[in-house]
Amino acid sequence: MRLLITNIALLCNAEGPASLISRRSGAEMSVMPCMPDAWLLAENGIIHSFGSMAGLPEVHADVVIDGTGRLVLPAWVDSHTHLVFAAPRDGEFVDRIKGLSYEEIARRGGGILNSARRLNAMDESELYDQSLARLDAVMATGTGAIEIKSGYGLCLEGELKMLRVIRRLKENAAIPIKSSFLAAHAYPVEYKENKEGYLNLIIDKMLPQVAGEGLADYMDVFCEEGFFGVPETERLLEAGAKYGLRPKIHANQLYHSGGVQVGVRQNAVSVDHLECVGDAEVAALTGSSTMPTLLPGAAFFLGMHYQPARKIIDAGLPVCLATDYNPGSCPSGNVPLLLTLACTQLKMSPEEAINAVTINGAAALELEKELGTIKVGKRANLILTKPLASPSLAYLPYDYGNNNIERLIC
Ligand code: NIG
Ligand code: FE
């Protein structure tokens, strides 16, 4: 199948054949090669060739799309989500408006434990149907690859149920999906006084089965005061590594809790959240291959301070952005809205924000060889926008709240 897109107003993040970038860091995050008035040819889902309309060769195509007034971009890679969940938590949203904090709600048995109760009561096929509907919705706003976590089971059966739902999504969805094992998301009620018992359950019972069935690509831990401390995180990540699971962890959301440092020590692919990042965390990340991933949607929805993106970029580091789509701290998987937050609140330029959720998102899922930029030989995993009032990169985060994505090509 050959698909030709002609008259593209702006072909964004397009790399030449000699380019070897695997992620963009520091000042390079402002680099985004764009070609005006362009064409692109995809063959069997792979980018075959592209160029300027002035040099359009004669090609046979099965489908031709007129890109007049539209952008074509590499699809978003959303590298951190909890898209598989059983029920919304709008009651807690109201509790927070009335003054309760996210931590206070968690201490009262709400939050993640609330989601675990609902998930364990739902059968696997209903969980799958709900999750598939959410996946379809985020694909419609341009998400072309996604990571999904377990972590609302908090028991062997519940965690396996979530991971099997993710496996079914992987098998049936048109886009690449990676899964992370997050049993260490919260201590379940029955282990509140026996934390050692829950750690042993994860390490001795859950991990062997999860790894044995090939259900996870990564190992995640909510490393935070009041959840899993640094020694526990280290122990869990070392146990995961024995099964070949690299870490991708929740770190430094609520406090300067040492999560970034333990992630870097354990060779994490990424450390995610990073509301609380200072000089020590930046120093730990410098020289490492661990991707700092910021989740401003959670800071927005919980009314917390935003991640210091400028400090991280200005130190020469890369920044990745992801939605954190989940029923508690960010019930939205909408990447265009995330881009607006990144620009207005984190003071990232549109180029930086789009690099953060394309090539750097791909790097945070170890998919940078096949996704994240428009390059001959990479997957034709593309966003086609609607005709835009101003066909510029900045228009996408500027025109917030409006859906400018016409379709995902994948
Ligand atoms: O990334 N912080 C930990 N986990 C999720 C939220 C989980 C929840 O509240 O359901 C997050 O924000
Ligand atoms: Fe999360």
Side-chain angles (χ1 to χ4, degrees):
M1 216 288 282
R2 298 187 114 206
L3 166 72
L4 177 66
I5 314 175
T6 56
N7 301 312
I8 303 165
L10 202 62
L11 182 67
C12 308
N13 223 353
E15 291 184 85
S19 164
L20 288 171
I21 60 152
S22 55
R23 59 187 199 169
R24 289 200 170 102
S25 309
E28 287 166 12
M29 285 200 67
S30 303
V31 174
M32 174 149 309
C34 292
M35 188 181 284
D37 200 21
W39 58 272
L40 180 143
L41 179 67
E43 189 174 46
N44 298 329
I46 301 293
I47 298 171
H48 175 277
S49 46
F50 59 84
S52 166
M53 279 306 285
L56 176 65
E58 203 167 303
V59 285
H60 161 76
D62 303 292
V63 178
V64 180
I65 297 175
D66 181 8
T68 301
R70 304 165 195 270
L71 310 187
V72 170
L73 305 103
W76 319 130
V77 179
D78 191 354
S79 63
H80 180 135
T81 83
H82 308 250
L83 174 137
V84 172
F85 59 85
R89 302 216 305 263
D90 43 312
E92 293 176 7
F93 169 65
V94 176
D95 290 341
R96 279 203 312 280
I97 295 169
K98 290 182 180 156
L100 279 186
S101 71
Y102 180 72
E103 286 174 274
E104 182 55 31
I105 291 167
R107 273 198 297 274
R108 293 178 180 200
I112 295 164
L113 296 182
N114 177 357
S115 283
R117 277 191 298 278
R118 302 295 296 266
L119 185 126
N120 283 306
M122 182 174 276
D123 75 58
E124 195 169 312
S125 67
E126 190 179 352
L127 190 62
Y128 174 78
D129 291 345
Q130 284 204 13
S131 305
L132 183 62
R134 278 182 215 118
L135 186 64
D136 286 341
V138 298
M139 286 171 63
T141 53
T143 296
I146 196 165
E147 181 259 17
I148 310 173
K149 301 171 189 301
S150 72
Y152 293 131
L154 309 182
C155 62
L156 179 62
E157 274 318 307
E159 288 294 308
L160 290 174
K161 177 161 64 180
M162 288 189 79
L163 291 166
R164 287 174 184 148
V165 165
I166 301 171
R167 179 170 63 192
R168 237 178 111 191
L169 293 172
K170 284 186 186 190
E171 288 163 359
N172 296 321
I175 64 171
I177 298 178
K178 296 256 183 150
S179 57
S180 299
F181 174 52
L182 177 58
H185 201 188
Y187 287 99
V189 185
E190 56 278 29
Y191 286 93
K192 212 171 161 199
E193 305 305 326
N194 178 17
K195 296 193 166 157
E196 186 61 22
Y198 189 54
L199 296 175
N200 290 336
L201 177 68
I202 296 175
I203 293 168
D204 299 334
K205 293 261 162 27
M206 295 191 196
L207 254 176
Q209 190 152 351
V210 166
E213 289 188 36
L215 285 168
D217 299 299
Y218 299 110
M219 178 81 184
D220 198 346
V221 174
F222 186 13
C223 179
E224 192 54 87
E225 287 174 32
F227 292 84
F228 296 82
V230 168
E232 292 81 12
T233 302
E234 197 124 48
R235 201 173 135 197
L236 288 158
L237 297 186
E238 279 169 4
K242 292 202 179 107
Y243 293 95
L245 299 183
R246 270 186 86 183
K248 263 177 92 65
I249 66 168
H250 285 72
N252 296 52
Q253 179 184 13
L254 308 173
Y255 301 101
H256 290 260
S257 38
V260 169
Q261 289 87 337
V262 69
V264 171
R265 268 203 306 282
Q266 294 293 327
N267 190 30
V269 181
S270 68
V271 286
D272 302 16
H273 259 297
L274 310 193
E275 280 83 340
C276 301
V277 159
D279 294 341
E281 287 80 10
V282 168
L285 286 160
T286 301
S288 83
S289 65
T290 301
M291 176 66 76
T293 295
L294 312 184
L295 313 174
F300 166 72
F301 196 67
L302 297 180
M304 289 184 60
H305 58 271
Y306 286 96
Q307 295 83 357
R310 284 262 57 89
K311 181 181 176 78
I312 300 172
I313 295 171
D314 295 345
L317 291 167
V319 155
C320 169
L321 289 164
T323 63
D324 198 18
Y325 190 8
N326 76 78
S329 65
C330 185
S332 165
N334 186 299
V335 171
L337 178 59
L338 170 69
L339 293 175
T340 300
L341 287 176
C343 294
T344 59
Q345 307 304 308
L346 276 60
K347 307 297 175 201
M348 294 172 73
S349 68
E351 288 80 3
E352 289 173 330
I354 291 172
N355 271 320
V357 79
T358 54
I359 185 62
N360 287 358
L365 292 183
E366 301 176 290
L367 291 172
E368 69 279 2
K369 289 201 171 69
E370 51 178 300
L371 296 171
T373 57
I374 289 174
K375 186 177 180 188
V376 171
K378 282 195 176 185
R379 281 176 81 129
N381 192 287
L382 307 168
I383 290 170
L384 178 72
T385 71
K386 295 176 180 166
L388 303 181
S390 169
S392 74
L393 272 185
Y395 191 78
L396 289 179
Y398 160 85
D399 192 38
Y400 84 99
N402 297 313
N403 180 19
N404 285 305
I405 309 299
E406 176 140 316
R407 60 178 278 215
L408 175 75
I409 297 169
C410 60

